[in-house]
Amino acid sequence: MVREWDPRNASSAEIASLLDTLNAVLAADLPQDPPWRESSLREYLSEVMPGERRISWIAQAQPAGDGIPGVILGHVNVLLLGGIGVLEVLVHPAARRTGLGRELVRVAARRVWDEGFQSIGVEVVGDTPAVAFYESLGFTREYVETRSVLDLNAVDWPALAEMATGVSAGYHLEFCPGGPPDELIEAYARAKAEVRDVDDGELRPSSYDPERLRDSLTTLHRRGMKPYIVLALHEQTGEVAGLTEVVVPAQHPTRADQYDTIVVRDHRGYGIDRAIKARMLLELRSAEPELVEVQTWNAQANEAMLKVNAELGYRPDREWCEYGVDVAELVHHLDPPR
């Protein structure tokens, strides 16, 4: 049975059941990834940026009796932002090839259509069953990144400390746990607006104005995701010359997520990119003692950042792809008029 579902008022048993399904999917498709925890999972599923909406559905097995609700076998949510609906689908490995995934997509696509959106996007991990599934529904690949993972237990820490001091004279680095100080928000926004070393595609938009940056940081904290930032400041002007962002989620605190790394064009060639990323890792080592890995995503054409990551010890892991489809075509494919 598929029904609309709001994680904000869901029972603890439902949240726990969804977590079990999520971890079963990870074990089947991404066995090297750490299992998720229940910490702030409800908030992770429900909190969104101002102006965005997330709508969710679950597929639940028949109750086992004695008033015990049936386990959650599938989950879909769609995040409505800008002009696109961003889809996420989970189907327990035991329930695959039963048509459940197709039904979850059908329900979500119909809602996206009813809401007046024109397109749906989804992130698809390479070498998983999701690739063939979405392609069979008419989704086409639009963007590809490489995910790389750094094992902190294999890091050469003395070499990393040397990299962190490799920035040219005229710049200094600042570590900002929780986010940049408010007096630097505008300079931070200018750096993000001017240039980005990585085009992250349409499904992971970045924030380029001060108010949206504040909203983004507030939303991260509400979702149980702790941001850390290292800034490179130009001493003569006080401007942000470079920045790197890492987020440690409460849901999988042993593996952090790298967000944007940016070096403003006029400040390239001074060793900023390598220095800020090395400094970040050194700070995380003491700030997050439970952390054992960091994962990052890079466009395959971004050779400069891929080279820096390799020097830091990152190793390529998987392709991470964005797929898209026209909503009208998807609805017609899944729910043709009779």
Side-chain angles (χ1 to χ4, degrees):
M1 177 183 68
V2 176
R3 63 178 175 88
E4 194 165 334
W5 182 75
D6 187 344
R8 290 172 296 184
N9 54 35
S11 69
S12 298
E14 287 176 340
I15 296 293
S17 182
L18 178 57
L19 178 64
D20 289 343
T21 290
L22 169 60
N23 283 329
V25 170
L26 286 175
D29 297 344
L30 294 167
Q32 303 306 314
D33 282 29
W36 281 40
R37 303 178 185 179
E38 197 168 335
S39 302
S40 298
L41 182 58
R42 185 188 303 274
E43 292 75 16
Y44 178 86
L45 294 167
S46 58
E47 294 289 346
V48 296
M49 289 276 287
E52 299 177 357
R53 286 184 294 144
R54 179 178 281 112
I55 308 170
S56 299
W57 296 261
I58 57 171
Q60 212 163 3
Q62 292 298 319
D66 299 327
I68 300 173
V71 298
I72 293 176
L73 297 174
H75 173 254
V76 60
N77 75 73
V78 61
L79 179 65
L80 302 174
L81 72 163
I84 189 171
V86 181
L87 195 67
E88 289 183 296
V89 179
L90 288 175
V91 176
H92 195 288
R96 290 177 177 175
R97 299 187 178 276
T98 64
L100 177 55
R102 185 183 178 94
E103 175 63 12
L104 289 168
V105 174
R106 185 193 69 79
V107 170
R110 171 59 69 177
R111 175 62 68 85
V112 173
W113 170 257
D114 291 343
E115 294 279 349
F117 286 75
Q118 303 300 311
S119 60
I120 288 181
V122 63
E123 286 191 336
V124 180
V125 183
D127 297 321
T128 66
V131 175
F133 172 71
Y134 285 108
E135 290 180 352
S136 74
L137 298 180
F139 285 78
T140 58
R141 185 179 297 195
E142 298 175 345
Y143 182 78
V144 181
E145 294 178 305
T146 297
R147 184 180 77 167
S148 300
V149 179
L150 174 65
D151 179 358
L152 295 180
N153 292 319
V155 166
D156 184 341
W157 293 104
L160 200 74
E162 187 173 343
M163 291 183 197
T165 61
V167 67
S168 297
Y171 298 92
H172 73 272
L173 306 187
E174 286 193 13
F175 175 58
C176 307
D182 198 66
E183 63 268 19
L184 287 175
I185 282 284
E186 290 191 7
Y188 190 85
R190 284 194 295 273
K192 289 178 72 96
E194 180 177 340
V195 63
R196 298 172 71 196
D197 274 349
V198 181
D199 175 8
D200 281 332
E202 188 176 6
L203 305 189
R204 274 178 280 161
S206 189
S207 300
Y208 301 134
D209 69 80
E211 285 310 310
R212 187 159 178 84
L213 274 170
R214 290 187 181 96
D215 289 339
S216 178
L217 290 165
T218 299
T219 302
L220 282 173
H221 285 289
R222 288 203 311 260
R223 299 183 81 200
M225 305 168 77
K226 190 185 304 180
Y228 292 95
I229 295 169
V230 172
L231 302 177
L233 298 176
H234 186 227
E235 293 174 350
Q236 184 176 357
T237 63
E239 287 295 299
V240 173
L243 61 95
T244 191
E245 307 163 331
V246 168
V247 171
V248 179
Q251 299 81 21
H252 52 89
T254 63
R255 180 182 285 193
D257 298 327
Q258 173 79 59
Y259 280 30
D260 281 345
T261 295
I262 297 168
V263 180
V264 175
R265 185 168 284 107
D266 289 346
H267 300 282
R268 292 182 177 181
Y270 298 100
I272 291 173
D273 49 2
R274 184 179 294 101
I276 57 179
K277 296 195 78 167
R279 172 68 179 275
M280 174 67 79
L281 294 172
L282 290 167
E283 296 287 358
L284 288 174
R285 189 184 189 190
S286 55
E288 293 286 341
E290 195 176 357
L291 192 66
V292 295
E293 294 173 311
V294 181
Q295 58 187 0
T296 187
W297 293 262
N298 296 102
Q300 295 174 335
N302 190 2
E303 296 179 2
M305 191 54 64
L306 289 170
K307 181 175 183 293
V308 169
N309 287 338
E311 292 173 355
L312 294 170
Y314 285 88
R315 296 292 176 261
D317 173 47
R318 298 256 186 166
E319 283 191 345
W320 221 263
C321 312
E322 289 185 9
Y323 276 72
V325 70
D326 179 83
V327 173
E329 293 179 4
L330 181 60
V331 169
H332 182 79
H333 179 77
L334 292 169
D335 200 6
R338 293 177 175 86

